Amino acid sequence: MGFDATFLGVAAPMPRVAGPGAPECVELDYVHFTVVLDPARRLARVTGVNVDGAALVDLDRGGDEWRLDDRVPADWQAGPVVYADNDFDRGHLVRRRDPVWGERAVAARANADTFHYTNAAPQASGFNQSKELWLGLEDHVLAYAEATAQRLSVFTAPVLAAGDPEYRGIRVPLRFWKVVAWNARGALAATAFIVDQAPLVDTSEARPVVGGAPPLGPFRTFQVPVADVAELTGLEMPELIAADVLPPTAIAAGWRRIESFDEVLLHASSVE
């Protein structure tokens, strides 16, 4: 149960909710992944999943039976009312297929575990289902792990910004982040992405602007310095920052727009 920080053979701990003013969160372990839930925002601050590309099991989605996690109060979770009669999908944070590996019975439990509301965030359907945005990035990461029999640790969550628009008792996140980590010749390697749904979100609130970040637009994905994810989210992730595969010149240049997933630096020469 839960995320394993030693899964890669090198230490890859989850980003941590810590420091002055950090929100009180609760850690929830599932099969092969962990969700760190912020009860005040009713959404995850961070999730971490271990992906074993050599042991993935191909299972159907099942009945899409989303459910509340009865280990925490219902009003700590963004439940079904948030997604009723609107354009919002219950967007998996830990992708459904990522933890589905190992013995078939274990894989089936992992598959079902991903359908907890604690592992969801409201995503505009054009964002969640777009090959150019979230789904395309997730497909690319999983295909890489499967094709290379690679083990990956993947960290994902919404950027929970103070100015996110209010909607049905929550504030809808406008940006999402993902950090992928792997073992490169016995050393930790990592890379990060920011994707944006702001132009697709339909609420009555005006869209805020995140200070210091470039405008993204509806169909653009950026590979970014891991340190920028840490700054935007307020999470501590020094091990992942130190393992960033982006060269210093790219880090200094800032956000790198990806036109094709072939450009993603999961294929850096240091990867085995």
Side-chain angles (χ1 to χ4, degrees), residues 120-196:
Q123 293 178 348
S125 60
F127 171 91
N128 186 39
Q129 299 169 23
S130 172
K131 287 289 183 181
E132 297 171 89
L133 284 171
W134 201 238
L135 182 59
L137 177 57
E138 291 179 324
D139 282 347
H140 180 83
V141 169
L142 191 68
Y144 174 78
E146 193 164 17
T148 61
Q150 181 90 318
R151 284 189 166 200
L152 302 174
S153 289
V154 182
F155 311 102
T156 308
V159 177
L160 299 182
D164 289 336
E166 294 184 6
Y167 183 75
R168 296 186 181 179
I170 67 164
R171 293 202 300 277
V172 177
L174 300 182
R175 289 178 175 171
F176 291 79
W177 61 271
K178 188 180 294 288
V179 176
V180 181
W182 65 94
N183 185 329
R185 295 194 178 97
L188 182 64
T191 195
F193 305 90
I194 295 283
V195 286
D196 178 62

Side-chain angles (χ1 to χ4, degrees), residues 178 191-194 222-229 244 246 251 254-256 258:
K178 188 180 294 288
T191 195
F193 305 90
I194 295 283
F222 284 78
Q223 188 166 17
V224 307
V226 178
D228 283 14
V229 171
D244 199 335
L246 286 181
I251 291 176
W255 293 22
R256 175 176 175 266
I258 298 170

Side-chain angles (χ1 to χ4, degrees), residues 61 64-68 90-92 114-117 119-120:
R61 289 179 65 91
D64 277 18
E65 295 180 359
W66 286 88
R67 59 197 186 278
L68 297 170
R90 292 164 293 198
H92 278 82
T114 66
F115 286 94
H116 282 95
Y117 279 104
N119 185 44

Side-chain angles (χ1 to χ4, degrees), residues 23-259:
E24 292 288 335
C25 293
V26 60
E27 188 170 299
L28 299 167
D29 288 339
Y30 303 95
V31 177
H32 299 153
F33 70 97
T34 294
V35 172
V36 178
L37 178 69
D38 182 340
R41 286 295 302 260
R42 301 169 60 191
L43 296 167
R45 283 276 165 184
V46 58
T47 68
V49 59
N50 302 125
V51 184
D52 189 339
L56 289 167
V57 176
D58 189 13
L59 294 179
D60 293 336
R61 289 179 65 91
D64 277 18
E65 295 180 359
W66 286 88
R67 59 197 186 278
L68 297 170
D69 191 321
D70 59 12
R71 294 176 292 179
V72 294
D75 60 4
W76 289 12
Q77 306 170 62
V81 69
V82 173
Y83 303 94
D85 302 319
N86 57 31
D87 188 49
F88 285 122
D89 287 346
R90 292 164 293 198
H92 278 82
L93 297 174
V94 170
R95 191 189 186 209
R96 182 190 67 84
R97 293 186 62 209
D98 282 359
V100 180
W101 53 267
E103 296 182 6
R104 196 168 187 85
V106 174
R109 286 172 52 210
N111 185 75
D113 272 356
T114 66
F115 286 94
H116 282 95
Y117 279 104
T118 50
N119 185 44
Q123 293 178 348
S125 60
F127 171 91
N128 186 39
Q129 299 169 23
S130 172
K131 287 289 183 181
E132 297 171 89
L133 284 171
W134 201 238
L135 182 59
L137 177 57
E138 291 179 324
D139 282 347
H140 180 83
V141 169
L142 191 68
Y144 174 78
E146 193 164 17
T148 61
Q150 181 90 318
R151 284 189 166 200
L152 302 174
S153 289
V154 182
F155 311 102
T156 308
V159 177
L160 299 182
D164 289 336
E166 294 184 6
Y167 183 75
R168 296 186 181 179
I170 67 164
R171 293 202 300 277
V172 177
L174 300 182
R175 289 178 175 171
F176 291 79
W177 61 271
K178 188 180 294 288
V179 176
V180 181
W182 65 94
N183 185 329
R185 295 194 178 97
L188 182 64
T191 195
F193 305 90
I194 295 283
V195 286
D196 178 62
Q197 70 169 354
L200 306 176
V201 169
D202 182 15
T203 72
S204 59
E205 300 289 337
R207 288 201 306 273
V209 176
V210 179
L216 294 180
F219 293 104
R220 289 188 288 177
T221 301
F222 284 78
Q223 188 166 17
V224 307
V226 178
D228 283 14
V229 171
E231 183 177 358
L232 277 175
T233 61
L235 295 168
E236 295 183 354
M237 53 185 87
E239 301 88 352
L240 296 169
I241 292 172
D244 199 335
V245 298
L246 286 181
T249 53
I251 291 176
W255 293 22
R256 175 176 175 266
R257 183 175 177 179
I258 298 170
E259 303 286 353

